[in-house]
Amino acid sequence: MNDENEAYNLSDGPCYVLVIHNRSFKPPMSFRAGSEKDLSFVKDFCKTYRTNSLDICENYSLLRLEDKMKKISIKDFTRYSSLLVIIMSHGDIDDHIHAYDGLFDLEPDIVDPIVKNCTLKEKPILFFIQACRGNDIMDSDAARIVQKNKANIIKCYSTYEGTISFRDSERGTYFIQILLSLIKEHEDKDLTEIMDLIRRCFYRAK
C-alpha cells in the first residue's frame, strides 16, 4: 500500500487497537475532565467493530510508555490486518504530547518503534490523535491526514499545528466520538472518504 491513492481501511480482518490515554498528570498539569467519555466511546466502538484486541495504556509515565513501545516493536501482529493507535492527552507544538510526568515526541517515541516491527510491514498503521498542538485558537476541532514517507502510515489530527483542540469537560471531544461513529457507520468506505465526512461535520458545527 505504498501508493498514496490506495484505500486505507479497518475492515480487512481484525484490527489491533492501541490506546494511549492520559487524563491525570503530575502537577501542575491540569486534569483532562471529560476524557473518560472518549475512552468509554472507544471501548464501545471496539466491542462492535472488527477488532478483538484493545490495549489501553492509561496515565503512563514516560518510562512506562517507553517500555510499552519496546514491547510493541517486537510484538507479533501477523494475525492482524492493521494497527490503530488512538492518542488522547494534552499536547504541544511539533507533535509533542504529554505522558503523566513529561513530554514525549510522537515520531521517535511512538511511530518509530511501530515501524521497526517487521510483522506490520505493508499493513495500514493509523494514528488518531486528540491533543492540542499549540496555544492558538480555532473555531472548532479540525482534522487532516498526513501521509509520511514511511509506508502505510496515516495520521489524523484533531486540530492543526499551533492550535488548541477543544474538549467538553462533561461530554468529551467531538473529534474522537464523531470519527469513530463515522467509521462504524461507513464500514464500506476507506479512511480518506471518512475524513471528508468528518470535515463536513465540523463545517456544519461552526
Side-chain angles (χ1 to χ4, degrees):
M1 296 181 63
N2 294 322
D3 188 334
E4 63 181 9
N5 294 318
E6 287 199 52
Y8 286 81
N9 64 68
L10 304 178
S11 61
D12 186 19
C15 172
Y16 192 96
V17 181
L18 174 66
V19 178
I20 300 172
H21 176 239
N22 298 309
R23 60 174 182 153
S24 297
F25 303 86
K26 188 175 181 179
M29 182 63 62
S30 62
F31 180 79
R32 294 182 67 248
S35 185
E36 69 279 1
K37 299 293 185 181
D38 290 338
L39 183 59
S40 178
F41 205 89
V42 170
K43 290 178 179 178
D44 288 342
F45 169 82
C46 291
K47 287 177 183 177
T48 57
Y49 202 71
R50 293 186 174 95
T51 178
N52 54 13
S53 297
L54 177 57
D55 188 353
I56 299 176
C57 307
E58 190 162 23
N59 301 324
Y60 274 24
S61 66
L62 288 171
L63 187 60
R64 192 178 180 191
L65 184 60
E66 180 183 6
D67 181 66
K68 177 64 179 182
M69 295 315 299
K70 287 179 180 177
K71 293 176 180 176
I72 290 292
S73 70
I74 59 174
K75 182 178 176 61
D76 186 358
F77 288 96
T78 303
R79 62 183 293 263
Y80 297 100
S81 65
S82 53
L83 172 64
L84 170 59
V85 181
I86 301 175
I87 301 176
M88 300 178 287
S89 187
H90 288 308
D92 211 327
I93 60 173
D94 297 328
D95 281 353
H96 284 87
I97 300 170
H98 283 271
Y100 170 76
D101 57 353
L103 286 166
F104 62 89
D105 191 329
L106 179 64
E107 199 73 19
D109 297 331
I110 305 298
V111 177
D112 286 353
I114 289 172
V115 170
K116 291 177 183 176
N117 190 311
C118 61
T119 65
L120 286 169
K121 186 178 180 181
E122 298 183 358
K123 294 182 179 182
I125 303 170
L126 314 175
F127 291 86
F128 295 166
I129 304 161
Q130 171 63 51
C132 291
R133 305 181 73 196
N135 298 316
D136 291 335
I137 297 175
M138 294 179 63
D139 290 334
S140 66
D141 279 352
R144 67 172 176 171
I145 294 175
V146 179
Q147 178 67 55
K148 293 290 189 179
N149 291 330
K150 297 174 180 178
N152 309 313
I153 291 179
I154 283 183
K155 295 178 187 175
C156 305
Y157 292 96
S158 64
T159 194
Y160 293 106
E161 177 66 33
T163 61
I164 65 174
S165 182
F166 289 101
R167 166 178 38 85
D168 188 281
S169 61
E170 295 182 358
R171 293 175 293 181
T173 63
Y174 190 68
F175 174 71
I176 288 294
Q177 296 183 26
I178 294 298
L179 176 58
L180 295 183
S181 294
L182 288 172
I183 289 174
K184 187 161 59 174
E185 181 181 351
H186 300 280
E187 294 187 21
D188 59 322
K189 297 183 182 297
D190 67 74
L191 189 58
T192 55
E193 293 176 293
I194 291 171
M195 293 312 295
D196 284 338
L197 292 175
I198 198 171
R199 288 190 189 96
R200 295 174 196 172
C201 290
F202 284 130
Y203 292 149
R204 287 200 298 268
K206 290 183 178 181

